[in-house]
Amino acid sequence: AQSVTQPDIHITVSEGASLELRCNYSYGATPYLFWYVQSPGQGLQLLLKYFSGDTLVQGIKGFEAEFKRSQSSFNLRKPSVHWSDAAEYFCAVGFPTGGFKTIFGAGTRLFVKA
Amino acid sequence: EAGVVQSPRYKIIEKKQPVAFWCNPISGHNTLYWYLQNLGQGPELLIRYENEEAVDDSQLPKDRFSAERLKGVDSTLKIQPAELGDSAVYLCASSPRGNTEAFFGQGTRLTVV
C-alpha cells in the first residue's frame, strides 16, 4: 500500500542555519512527490514537486528537494532558514488511480529560534 | 486570480447538531477535493469530484457525512449528526483537469462540544 513517513514530528533550528526535513515513501512505481507548507490557520501551499527528470528539484522560498529512488526518499532542504519559515511541512506522494490521488505524511513542525 | 474560498472559517456546534461547510473552487478547476485534517496529522481525503461526479468517496463516512457539487462548481460538505470526534479542520482543494497539483483553501475549523 502507498504510504508516506515523516520521521520527525518537530524540528528546531536556529535562524540562518541549514535545514533538512526527511520524507520516505512507499509506492511500487515512480511516484509523484510533493512538499507542502502550512502556516497556522492557513491552507497548504505547494513548495515544490517531482514527477521525472532531474532528481534535484528547486521550489519557492529557497527550498529544494532531492529524490533518491534507492532510498525511497524525498528530503526537503534549505541552506539558510528564516524566522518566517516556521510552519508545518507535509510531504505527499501522488499516483494515478482513476484520476489522481495524493497521500500526505503526518507533517513536521519547524520551529526557528533567534 | 481568486483562490479556493471556504466558509465559514470557524464553527462551534453542540454534538448531535448538523453542520455544513461550503467551498468555491478556483474558476475552471474541474477537480474538487474535501480533506479532513485532525490535529497534528496530514490531510486525509474524504471525497474527490470530477466536475459534478463523485469519483472517489471511499473514505467518506456515509452514515453521517454527505457532500454535493451541483453544476460542477461550488460544493458543500455536511455532517449530520456531528460527534465530538468530528472536531477537526476541513480543507477544500481544487485542481485543473489532468493537473496533479492541488490548490487549498484556508479550511474550516470545526469544534464539536
Side-chain angles (χ1 to χ4, degrees):
Chain A
Q2 300 85 2
S3 66
V4 179
T5 302
Q6 293 182 247
D8 303 305
I9 297 174
H10 56 80
I11 282 181
T12 301
V13 300
S14 297
E15 190 169 18
S18 63
L19 169 71
E20 182 169 27
L21 302 182
R22 297 184 291 165
C23 173
N24 294 96
Y25 66 89
S26 173
Y27 181 56
T30 300
Y32 295 77
L33 295 163
F34 307 84
W35 274 100
Y36 284 84
V37 61
Q38 185 178 35
S39 297
Q42 301 298 313
L44 280 70
Q45 180 185 21
L46 182 69
L47 285 175
L48 47 78
K49 58 188 177 184
Y50 171 80
F51 292 166
S52 63
D54 192 345
T55 56
L56 185 61
V57 181
Q58 301 298 319
I60 62 172
K61 303 184 180 185
F63 286 91
E64 66 178 25
E66 185 172 13
F67 170 56
K68 292 185 178 180
R69 183 188 304 276
S70 62
Q71 299 177 19
S72 297
S73 69
F74 189 56
N75 294 350
L76 182 71
R77 300 194 295 249
K78 186 169 185 178
S80 179
V81 169
H82 187 263
W83 64 266
S84 61
D85 293 324
E88 187 96 25
Y89 291 81
F90 294 95
C91 180
V93 59
F95 48 95
T97 171
F100 192 81
K101 189 168 184 176
T102 306
I103 295 177
F104 289 83
T108 297
R109 179 162 293 279
L110 173 64
F111 297 95
V112 180
K113 60 182 181 181
Chain B
E1 177 184 272
V4 176
V5 179
Q6 292 186 244
S7 69
R9 288 292 315 278
Y10 305 91
K11 189 73 176 180
I12 301 174
I13 61 170
E14 295 183 344
K15 61 181 180 181
K16 302 185 181 180
Q17 294 302 306
V19 65
F21 314 126
W22 176 79
C23 174
N24 180 234
I26 293 173
S27 178
H29 283 195
N30 303 91
T31 307
L32 184 145
Y33 312 80
W34 282 103
Y35 284 90
L36 166 69
Q37 186 177 21
N38 286 304
L39 185 65
Q41 298 295 316
E44 299 172 26
L45 182 68
L46 287 172
I47 189 168
R48 174 168 62 92
Y49 283 92
E50 296 292 341
N51 298 308
E52 66 274 13
E53 181 182 1
V55 297
D56 184 356
D57 63 355
S58 58
Q59 301 303 311
L60 189 72
K62 298 181 182 63
D63 57 335
R64 298 184 300 108
F65 286 66
S66 65
E68 61 181 12
R69 191 184 184 196
L70 300 177
K71 301 181 180 179
V73 182
D74 294 3
S75 177
T76 56
L77 178 68
K78 299 178 182 178
I79 308 175
Q80 183 172 11
E83 297 178 352
L84 295 177
D86 297 330
S87 296
V89 175
Y90 293 81
L91 293 165
C92 180
S94 69
S95 63
R97 185 192 305 277
N99 195 313
T100 55
E101 176 183 351
F103 296 81
F104 284 82
Q106 292 181 299
T108 296
R109 179 176 296 277
L110 173 67
T111 302
V112 182
V113 298

